[in-house]
Amino acid sequence: MNLSSSTPYLFQNPDDAGNEDGTGDNAAGDGTGDLLPNRNTPKIEHFYWTDANLHDPTGYWYKSETGDNLFGDDNYTPDISGNPFENVFSTRLAIHGDLVLAGYAYCVNWSAGKKAKDHYDFYIRVSENAGEDWTLPVNVSQLKNHEASVADCRVILTPPTLDEWGIYSPPYGRRIPFSMTGAPAVASTGDFNVRNTFFVGVGTKENIPQPSPNETELEESEVFLDTFYSQAKIANGGIEFETYAKENPKYEEGALPFLEIDGTPTDEACAEVLSDGTCVPNETNPAYPELVDEFNWLAKGDANQGDIQMTCNPFGSRLYTIWEQELPITDEDGQKHFQGSDVWFRKVFYEEPEADLDVNQDGEVDSLDGREILSHIGSTAYDADFLWRGDFLADHRITGKDYSLWKTEFNKLKLSQKRNRWASK
């Protein structure tokens, strides 16, 4: 199945698309070694994504003469509505059970991209049923112009639970006993796997024109810029990214959120809704909104920073990263802290859940919180909906003892509130 192919919607000059004499305003193509021999490669101005290119309704390439579902071979071409002018690199894949996470750097215009007249963004897609169905591609880099392009990027899922059952412990080499309640033996909450969490890291580089295929020197030049990252959650059939709000330097009061194909501001998200219900999206308006959501910087500054590598703990509460960093040594007095060519390390910590009297997080501590604990008795941290805020005993399982501890603290809180009311009279 084709995970990356988009559908062209508008060419720079539709009359010149693929013309044989090489005339017209298709400056993206160089006519040498292009995908279309002896033609200028047309430049795509607007495109959109659908699921049409993934696979046929059976989930396989085709059915054999005997009716069996088979994958295609070299002699079979699936029926897709794709874009032959695009290109990808930096493909990434992460798998945990039926959860599959795919990523790739993508440029809709292959020829324009190699001339730095277009750039590559990093996209991800998620499947929660072993690759049967996928989300539409999500642009996680969202670079603003063609001055920069993405370099090597990373996606990682949280690793499995670090269960000490099965680990030999000194001095006799006996296995640590497995809890009869079903709760794993772990050193901390961070050792439990949270399946719907992943991280994405994006490196950027200067967008420099690359050599043509007919040139002797084919080595690409690469000047790293900065790197950024985000923790993400898979929820409700979509992806929610950790971002922070930043003032939009291009904000204009009264600006509308989208731009039509001709650049006219509009509040309509779709340029066109196709007969099958597909929305051909309008471009976002850079002058809207006043605050924009962006990823956190992992490394930013005068140095060239790239080739990021990442790992995390099973809970997704600890992110560990390294990257290459280079800054020329220009001081006569010797090398300063950030100068030279080095590998840098950084760790990012997130809060881990703790017991909370307001178990259901409705803003009030009342009997409903106790009922929430009672309804989860018997569950362990292996359960997807484990009630972390109700684990007052901190043994990674919900029991009657947790309810008793909650009840004790609840009564203390109510008594304290009564005393405060009496004191105020």
Side-chain angles (χ1 to χ4, degrees):
M1 61 179 62
N2 191 334
L3 288 179
S4 64
S5 188
S6 67
T7 301
Y9 183 71
L10 181 67
F11 290 91
Q12 187 182 60
N13 187 340
D15 294 334
D16 292 336
N19 59 47
E20 295 188 12
D21 58 6
T23 61
D25 192 24
N26 285 310
D30 62 7
T32 304
D34 271 353
L35 298 178
L36 299 176
N38 301 317
R39 292 171 171 81
N40 270 356
T41 302
K43 184 176 182 181
I44 298 171
E45 289 287 319
H46 202 75
F47 68 99
Y48 62 94
W49 306 94
T50 72
D51 285 331
N53 298 329
L54 284 175
H55 48 65
D56 64 17
T58 67
Y60 295 82
W61 286 117
Y62 68 102
K63 285 186 178 293
S64 68
E65 295 179 357
T66 59
D68 296 326
N69 292 323
L70 300 174
F71 289 98
D73 54 28
D74 293 339
N75 298 319
Y76 177 79
T77 302
D79 183 17
I80 62 174
S81 300
N83 169 15
F85 312 114
E86 61 198 356
N87 193 35
V88 299
F89 73 92
S90 192
T91 55
R92 301 289 180 252
L93 188 67
I95 301 175
H96 187 175
D98 286 342
L99 180 61
V100 186
L101 176 61
Y104 49 85
Y106 174 87
C107 180
V108 69
N109 291 293
W110 163 78
S111 190
K114 73 179 182 180
K115 288 178 169 290
K117 295 180 180 180
D118 204 339
H119 68 271
Y120 286 78
D121 274 303
F122 190 64
Y123 290 80
I124 61 172
R125 302 187 78 161
V126 173
S127 172
E128 297 186 75
N129 56 1
E132 195 73 21
D133 300 290
W134 294 81
T135 62
L136 290 179
V138 177
N139 184 349
V140 298
S141 54
Q142 298 189 34
L143 300 181
K144 304 296 189 298
N145 51 53
H146 300 334
E147 295 179 3
S149 191
V150 296
D152 279 346
C153 303
R154 305 284 179 239
V155 290
I156 58 169
L157 288 167
T158 50
T161 295
L162 296 177
D163 192 348
E164 293 181 354
W165 167 246
I167 300 177
Y168 287 98
S169 59
Y172 305 112
R174 293 178 179 175
R175 295 178 184 272
I176 297 174
F178 185 73
S179 170
M180 296 302 293
T181 63
V186 297
S188 68
T189 298
D191 291 341
F192 281 101
N193 172 261
V194 176
R195 183 176 179 271
N196 70 332
T197 300
F198 69 92
F199 290 91
V200 57
V202 177
T204 58
K205 63 182 179 181
E206 290 185 10
N207 197 14
I208 302 173
Q210 300 303 324
S212 298
N214 62 337
E215 295 185 11
T216 303
E217 179 59 59
L218 294 179
E219 184 177 352
E220 296 182 357
S221 57
E222 192 170 51
V223 179
F224 292 135
L225 295 175
D226 304 303
T227 63
F228 51 92
Y229 74 97
S230 178
Q231 183 196 67
K233 303 284 186 179
I234 303 170
N236 303 319
I239 305 172
E240 300 173 358
F241 291 96
E242 168 206 27
T243 60
Y244 72 98
K246 175 184 175 182
E247 288 189 7
N248 183 358
K250 297 183 178 181
Y251 172 71
E252 298 177 4
E253 187 174 356
L256 297 176
F258 303 101
L259 296 177
E260 294 180 355
I261 301 298
D262 61 1
T264 304
T266 179
D267 56 6
E268 296 290 336
C270 300
E272 180 183 356
V273 178
L274 305 180
S275 58
D276 62 357
T278 298
C279 168
V280 179
N282 276 316
E283 298 288 344
T284 56
N285 187 350
Y288 179 92
E290 184 175 2
L291 297 176
V292 292
D293 293 329
E294 294 192 351
F295 288 178
N296 283 309
W297 290 106
L298 180 65
K300 179 177 173 61
D302 295 332
N304 303 127
Q305 296 145 139
D307 273 349
I308 178 176
Q309 298 287 346
M310 314 170 68
T311 189
C312 66
N313 69 344
F315 203 85
S317 56
R318 301 287 187 269
L319 173 66
Y320 304 92
T321 65
I322 60 172
W323 66 90
E324 295 179 19
Q325 180 165 304
E326 184 173 1
L327 187 64
I329 302 174
T330 57
D331 296 283
E332 295 181 358
D333 297 334
Q335 179 177 349
K336 292 189 176 181
H337 183 64
F338 288 101
Q339 294 179 343
S341 181
D342 301 289
V343 173
W344 283 73
F345 169 82
R346 181 184 172 188
K347 55 186 178 182
V348 181
F349 285 4
Y350 296 83
E351 290 186 4
E352 293 180 351
E354 297 180 350
D356 189 338
L357 285 177
D358 185 13
V359 179
N360 61 11
Q361 297 291 283
D362 65 352
E364 297 183 8
V365 178
D366 51 28
S367 60
L368 294 177
D369 298 301
R371 294 177 188 174
E372 189 76 7
I373 295 178
L374 291 173
S375 67
H376 280 76
I377 285 180
S379 65
T380 75
Y382 274 146
D383 300 322
D385 61 346
F386 179 71
L387 190 63
W388 294 101
R389 290 184 298 274
D391 186 18
F392 282 81
L393 196 58
D395 61 352
H396 307 120
R397 56 195 177 102
I398 303 298
T399 66
K401 291 183 179 180
D402 292 304
Y403 176 75
S404 297
L405 290 171
W406 175 87
K407 187 69 173 179
T408 299
E409 296 301 318
F410 173 74
N411 290 336
K412 288 181 181 179
L413 176 65
K414 293 303 179 183
L415 180 59
S416 175
Q417 291 174 342
K418 286 183 179 181
R419 287 174 176 171
N420 290 336
R421 287 195 297 268
W422 294 337
S424 64
K425 291 182 180 180

